Amino acid sequence: MPPLLLILIDGWKDILVSNDFKSNDLLYINNHDGTFTDESSKYFKHTSDTGMGQDVIDINNDGLSDVVEVDMNPEDNYRKKMMMGSNSYQTYVNSNFFGYQYQYIRNTLQVNQGPRVNGNDSIGAPEFSDVGYFSGISQTDWSWDPLVTDFDNDGLRDIIITNGYPRDVTDRDFTNFMQEASSIGSTSFILDRIPRVKLSNYAFHNDGNLSFSNVTEKWGMTEPSFSNGAAYADLDNDGDMDMIINNIDQEAFVYENTTMDNSKSHPHYLAVKLHGDSLNLNGLGAWIELHYKGQQQAYEQTPYRGYLSTVQIEPHFGLGNITLVDSVIVKWQNGKEQILTNVKADQILSVNQKDAHLNYSFQNQIIDSSSLFKDVTHSLNINYVQKYKDYVDFDYQPLLPHKFSEYGPALAVGDIDGNGLDDIICGGAYGYSAQEFLQQPNGKFIQKSLLRGKDTLNKNRQDEGVLLFDADGDGDLDLYIASGGFQGERNSPSYQDKLYVNDGKGNFTEDSTALPINYTSKFCVRAVDYDKDGDLDLFVSGRVDPKNYPKAVSSFIFRNDSKNGHIKFTDVTESVAPALKNIGMVTDASFTDFNNDGWPDLVLTGEWMPITFLENDKGVFKNVTSASGISKNVGWWNTIAAGDFDNDGDIDYIVGNLGRNSYFQASDKYPVSILAKDFDNNGAYDAFLSLYLPASQTDKVKKDFPAESRDEIVKQLPRLRRKYPKYKDFAVATMDSLFSTSEREGAQYLQANYLSSAWLRNDGNGRFTMIPLPIQAQFSVLNGITVGDYDGDGNLDVLINGNDYGTEPIIGRYDALNGLLLKGDGKGQFTPLSIAASGIYLPGDGKALVSLKSKSDKLLIAGSQNKGPLKVFELKRNTQFLALNPLDETALFYYKNGKKQLHEITYGSSFLSQSGRFLIIDKNVVSVEIKNNKGEVRKVSFQ
């Protein structure tokens, strides 16, 4: 029987039900009229697959209720491999088609991100993000009961998880045996052969910032058991929470908490005894808040927590070194509240409902006027959802970590039709035309198909990077579209890029002779006058060798040799950038002067690559990554955006990565690796991911094991079935034993040791320091980025679009971002803003992010979502814009207070994104010096 919780989600009592055996979890939202509606999929982007116990409680002390749900994913390699079966993409598709929630076999920690912002600028339902992998609590085997309370009274709630099951029916060898023996063996004969696996329970200490450390041994919880239900209570009245755990075929555990006994200066606590009315004696459903020294804690009064268990009725709060609580606020179910001030610690505080007089109201549909942005998508007449034909990359390489066919759509901004207003180009998926969104004199947009039906039905290519620039020097914007993806055969014409010439009115015609023939599957495209000859040249990144991941591919420099209106680009990579040959799988690029010598250099991000620096030595690019100071930090780098974030006059960078909320966790000591080769000489490239895991429950030493299950490994390389006839044989196989030394000869071997997203502080002389971004930026993959001073304080902020839904089904979607605004302080520090504070809400598979100017001189931000809607947000505050010339490259801002801030002016910045070419001038800006490609400077004053 699954547990049922009556909880407070949006101000009224709602019901949360955890379901196992693949059924959806249920979240019944109170309709305020005595009825409920299941809206689990609206609040949670995914849930645990076979969820058992739950708790709904504030984990990170932000005053919002979070959700912990436990599942049955083992921590160690042996148990994982004995449990993991086949990975079926078709089952994934069917589950989605028939309305099942996305569900993954692991514990989830759904962090409440606060209310989302509706299109009418009102506050909506709360948004939850699963950060279980980030927090470190996602893998605790066959789990039942999460006990969430502050066990060491330091002010942060810890988690203890019970687990165990007397008969391990998930054992894959037993499953196979049962299928073979069921026709000849008796039931008792078969059942007697179900393995029995006794495991210890888990204890996690809350380290703050949603991070937990495993303290199972330190807290003395090492005895193996078959545990399930559990409860906590102060059994000896000493101010800390003791614990009772129920076991099957074994005596119950009673754990005495010795926190208050062993500490010389014991931490403080506060317990609250609620006295309700005659119909609710214990004040069930009351909301309690503690406020002290700028901190807070919150608790909803209910003892029914975890798995079929009841905890102590008096809410318990650890306080650390706090001896006096500034205020205790109790909000009762009858709409009354009371505030008690200067409450002493180390007591049971009695609070009586009859003393409450103040009225309160949980209103969730209030208009929010304080957010920086508002959603104006529909008011601008934009109603576009990307069309996409599903393509299963995994059919060709089953062990891919993610798809390459779901990375669009790209966005590019510029005045396409010559009416002086910014327009948007949105790239098209395989089989679909790119779309034009043309801004009209009334400020609204009209949508047109780029191909106008000419070859849409026969479009056998996928648009990746799109770029608007003047290729032929006639004063209007032409269009370059890079062709990429995974759908076509390698080295086929479906990967030939396209150049469309603009007639000045927004009508595009393909110039089939303008570009060199190049059948690499590509990604981003950038323009700059790298050789200072007065026209714009191109960089185009190679992304992947289709069906041959992770083979390195080349990227390219196309020199602009156009003359007399005849467009011609020449591939000069070999002569001006030989380092780009087979440089890797490049995801993004930035033309940027990182050494301040006046020549545009090139910085690249890529998968299984370091951040790569190519110095422009008077028109020739040289790889100087080894001198950058960060060359050893190899990641799955995805995006880069430039800005002077510390106001010191040089350019720093935001670089987006996989993040730290993933099955793949990497460090110098424990990197993520991949070994690739055509091991069976059948013409197919075999790539095997691996990561370090504890070997078993008894052998905690981490070793390099295959990331995938035996079934998936055998799909890729069928001959391994003979080497590992049983799952238990494979469960002890490290990567060293998977292939012999001779088999590894000629294989490609890559490692990644750094998966955090970061900002790169420019230390001068081509050297950088890599500093992780705040934890909210580590929850998922970062993609499109815009940089600007959005709050008008003179410091650069960072706006991010992210997530990746193209992952393989067992790993699960990276979906924890909803758009993110990082407020900069001008010193390199960033503060994440909530959805309600920023007004940005991009909850889907976010890709590109661009800025543009509206007819009414408002700053607009457009964000694309794969298979989702294009959304546009308007900055509420008034802004002043400064137009730029086509070959302007940098701008130096001078402020009233003497501060200087450097800006680079680019054709394209961040993941598949090209923003409009303008500067935003704040009221504190005195003047701006703009420098073009020839080094000529013009000064514009504003005072």
Side-chain angles (χ1 to χ4, degrees), residues 632-684:
K632 295 182 179 179
N633 293 341
V634 178
W636 293 2
W637 300 107
N638 214 43
T639 183
I640 182 169
D644 185 2
F645 299 108
D646 51 5
N647 295 325
D648 64 352
D650 56 25
I651 293 296
D652 314 297
Y653 306 94
I654 300 292
V655 283
N657 211 337
L658 176 68
R660 303 206 305 271
N661 190 28
S662 164
Y663 175 53
F664 298 105
Q665 302 287 319
S667 65
D668 289 340
K669 186 176 181 180
Y670 301 120
V672 174
S673 307
I674 192 166
L675 182 71
K677 177 184 174 181
D678 182 3
F679 285 100
D680 50 2
N681 298 314
N682 67 347

Side-chain angles (χ1 to χ4, degrees), residues 404-416:
F404 290 87
S405 58
E406 290 189 15
Y407 276 139
L411 296 176
V413 171
D415 179 13
I416 297 171

Side-chain angles (χ1 to χ4, degrees), residues 240-281:
D240 52 30
M241 290 293 101
D242 308 301
M243 188 169 51
I244 309 93
I245 297 177
N246 185 55
N247 298 314
I248 296 176
D249 298 334
Q250 188 178 354
E251 291 181 347
F253 293 151
V254 179
Y255 286 97
E256 180 188 359
N257 190 335
T258 60
T259 295
M260 307 303 274
D261 301 336
N262 297 337
S263 179
K264 293 181 181 179
S265 55
H266 66 76
H268 301 281
Y269 74 96
L270 181 68
V272 180
K273 176 64 176 177
L274 297 179
H275 301 277
D277 58 24
S278 60
L279 299 178
N280 186 1
L281 294 177

Side-chain angles (χ1 to χ4, degrees), residues 41 47 66 187 240 244 290 301 328 332 380 413 430 542 619 674 725 727 838 849 914 934 937 942:
S41 60
T47 63
D66 311 303
T187 301
D240 52 30
I244 309 93
L290 272 61
Q301 169 66 324
V328 176
W332 299 89
L380 296 179
V413 171
Y430 192 93
I674 192 166
Y727 287 85
S838 70
L849 195 70
Q914 180 193 6
K934 297 180 180 180
V937 178
F942 300 95

Side-chain angles (χ1 to χ4, degrees), residues 63-103:
L64 301 172
S65 290
D66 311 303
V67 181
V68 180
E69 183 176 19
V70 295
D71 203 305
M72 46 194 296
N73 188 0
E75 175 190 16
D76 66 279
N77 179 75
Y78 186 87
R79 293 279 297 146
K80 278 183 186 293
K81 297 307 194 295
M82 294 304 293
M83 184 183 294
M84 290 171 65
S86 182
N87 183 7
S88 172
Y89 185 81
Q90 191 58 52
T91 299
Y92 171 83
V93 172
N94 289 342
S95 295
N96 188 36
F97 178 81
F98 287 108
Y100 286 95
Q101 274 183 280
Y102 294 101
Q103 303 172 74

